[in-house]
Amino acid sequence: MAKLILSMDGLVLKEIVLDKERLTVGRKPHNDIQIDNLAISGDHAVIVTILADSFLEDLNSTNGTLVNGQPVKKHFLRNNDVIEMGKYKLKYMSDESAAHAGDAEPHPVVRSGVTKPPGELQLASVDTGVRSNVGTTSRPTAVPPAAIQLLNGPNAGKELALQKTLTTLGKPGTQVAVIARRPHGYFITHVEGTSYPVVNGRQLDAQAHPLADHDVIEIAGIKMEFFLKA
């Protein structure tokens, strides 16, 4: 199981096993990893873990979050990545038996702005390097292609193909969720916000929820239909 090593000035302070799907980091006491330091925002960042993959999201923190010395907003974590928040460091160590541990590509590519309906919904896909674009021969998968279609708002009718391993949906600072594409299907997980996504009229909890063909998802007031493509 993957873990984080918390340190400051080279001194190891704590080891955290990523045994939760959603783990928060911040100065406030309700966080899973509380760092009582003024350089850390009250709700600084969140790490979402789905199966063997972990996804870091900065929650609009005041001083920002670095990974390997580079500022990030969203980042798919790789073995030995070093997350920096103020003087504190969190080293990510993946499970050696994880399915993707042997992938040759060292870093993901973050592509934002795939579709961004003005004032409505922000969507972004994260390519983890596990799967390349259509037409390549990297890692075959049995999962069928899928997409979401916006059902309300000025951009109703627009579609977003779920071609990447992770696709984030929502309004940063209000409500954000992530749809993960896995060999056995698609799963939606809450990332940010006090309210959780709604699927078919039922509000979800913090656990990953499998999506079925024609499920209706509501995030940040926007309804969308998930569907499998023939």
Side-chain angles (χ1 to χ4, degrees), residues 143-158:
V143 66
I148 56 172
Q149 183 178 50
L150 300 178
L151 299 178
N152 63 345
N155 293 280
K158 285 193 175 181

Side-chain angles (χ1 to χ4, degrees), residues 1 8 23-24 27 45 66 103 149 151 174 181 213:
M1 187 172 291
M8 184 183 70
L23 185 145
T24 58
R27 192 177 69 254
L66 303 180
D103 286 349
Q149 183 178 50
L151 299 178
T174 302
R181 176 179 177 172
D213 195 20

Side-chain angles (χ1 to χ4, degrees), residues 42 50 54-55 59 98 109 123 152 169 176 185 192-193 203 209:
I50 304 172
S54 295
F55 174 72
L59 299 178
V109 176
L123 308 106
N152 63 345
L169 307 165
V176 177
E192 177 188 352
Q203 189 172 51
H209 178 81

Side-chain angles (χ1 to χ4, degrees), residues 19 51-52 65 76-77 86 88 101 113 126 144 153 162 181 215 218 229:
D19 56 358
L51 301 179
T65 302
F76 193 90
L77 290 168
Y88 291 82
V126 178
L162 302 175
R181 176 179 177 172
D215 275 352
E218 184 173 350
K229 303 183 76 171

Side-chain angles (χ1 to χ4, degrees), residues 43-152:
D43 297 293
H44 197 103
V46 63
I47 298 170
V48 175
T49 299
I50 304 172
L51 301 179
D53 296 331
S54 295
F55 174 72
L56 169 70
E57 176 108 10
D58 180 87
L59 299 178
N60 296 316
S61 62
T62 301
N63 295 315
T65 302
L66 303 180
V67 175
N68 303 327
Q70 300 298 318
V72 300
K73 285 295 183 182
K74 301 179 179 70
H75 181 79
F76 193 90
L77 290 168
R78 292 282 182 154
N79 190 38
N80 293 323
D81 275 353
V82 176
I83 305 165
E84 297 179 56
M85 301 176 185
K87 294 183 178 180
Y88 291 82
K89 294 183 179 181
L90 286 160
K91 184 175 182 180
Y92 175 76
M93 301 182 70
S94 65
D95 185 352
E96 291 182 355
S97 64
H100 310 324
D103 286 349
E105 295 167 20
H107 294 289
V109 176
V110 178
R111 296 187 176 94
S112 60
V114 174
T115 304
K116 189 178 180 182
E120 288 293 321
L121 186 74
Q122 180 172 330
L123 308 106
S125 296
V126 178
D127 186 350
T128 67
V130 175
R131 298 180 183 87
S132 299
N133 293 330
V134 176
T136 68
T137 57
S138 72
R139 197 179 299 279
T141 176
V143 66
I148 56 172
Q149 183 178 50
L150 300 178
L151 299 178
N152 63 345

Side-chain angles (χ1 to χ4, degrees), residues 5-15 87-90:
I5 306 297
L6 176 64
S7 65
M8 184 183 70
D9 296 330
L11 178 65
V12 174
L13 304 176
K14 190 176 183 181
E15 180 177 307
K87 294 183 178 180
Y88 291 82
K89 294 183 179 181
L90 286 160

Side-chain angles (χ1 to χ4, degrees), residues 151 188 196-204 209-219 222-227:
L151 299 178
I188 184 170
Y196 290 78
V198 173
V199 176
N200 300 330
R202 183 174 69 87
Q203 189 172 51
L204 305 183
H209 178 81
L211 290 171
D213 195 20
H214 300 301
D215 275 352
V216 175
I217 305 165
E218 184 173 350
I219 301 172
I222 299 299
K223 290 186 178 180
M224 62 201 80
E225 181 182 359
F226 168 85
F227 62 94

